[in-house]
Amino acid sequence: QVQLAESGGGSVQAGGSLRLACVASGDRYWRTCLGWFRQAPGKEREGVAAIFTSDGSPYYADFVRGRFTISQDDDSRRLGHNRTVYLQLDDLEAADTAMYYCGADRAQPQCGATCEGDDCYSDGYRGQGLQVTVSS
């Protein structure tokens, strides 16, 4: 079992920034990959970014184009066995408006960063979601 607690999100104007955070706890095997996917109204889920927790390798969807940064905080002194993954969203566009979800899973291609539709962390765990709204 893995528990995911998300925070952050909100509303900004185009060009603005937000930071999303997800605290992941529970089975380490199922936290091999931690990432974010999103779903805009009327559209399918799509991967955004993910990180391979053992070595911190990041993976991004093509549309990110250097605007988003995923990172992790694995300071065991403060977090114990938990791990926090962050998604820094910069230079936001109206097209980035969506619900953003944290996901956790075993090792997989691109750690799930390029997932599509129901495949997004379907075998793993998903958070409750955060609303990100970007106004133009």
Side-chain angles (χ1 to χ4, degrees), residues 8-118:
S11 298
V12 294
Q13 292 190 331
S17 299
L18 287 170
R19 190 172 83 154
L20 311 181
C22 175
V23 178
S25 59
D27 192 326
R28 292 182 185 180
Y29 175 70
W30 287 95
R31 292 186 282 147
T32 300
C33 288
L34 293 176
W36 296 89
F37 63 97
R38 70 185 188 182
Q39 186 168 21
K43 295 188 177 181
E44 286 198 334
R45 298 185 185 103
E46 60 180 355
V48 177
I51 195 164
F52 189 57
T53 57
S54 63
D55 65 5
S57 296
Y59 301 91
Y60 297 98
D62 289 342
F63 67 80
V64 168
R65 301 192 309 273
R67 300 181 298 126
F68 302 167
T69 304
I70 192 168
S71 61
Q72 67 175 351
D73 181 352
D74 59 356
D75 187 342
S76 60
R77 293 171 299 174
R78 291 187 295 106
L79 301 174
H81 296 298
N82 295 346
R83 183 154 301 191
T84 302
V85 61
Y86 300 99
L87 184 65
Q88 178 67 37
L89 309 172
D90 295 319
D91 194 20
L92 282 161
E93 304 168 353
D96 295 316
T97 295
M99 284 291 289
Y100 285 70
Y101 299 86
C102 179
D105 208 339
R106 303 160 293 180
Q108 57 183 290
Q110 303 289 313
C111 252
T114 56
C115 69
E116 295 179 350
D118 291 340

Side-chain angles (χ1 to χ4, degrees), residues 117-130:
D118 291 340
D119 289 339
C120 289
Y121 297 90
S122 59
D123 293 333
Y125 297 85
R126 301 168 176 169
Q128 294 298 308
L130 298 168

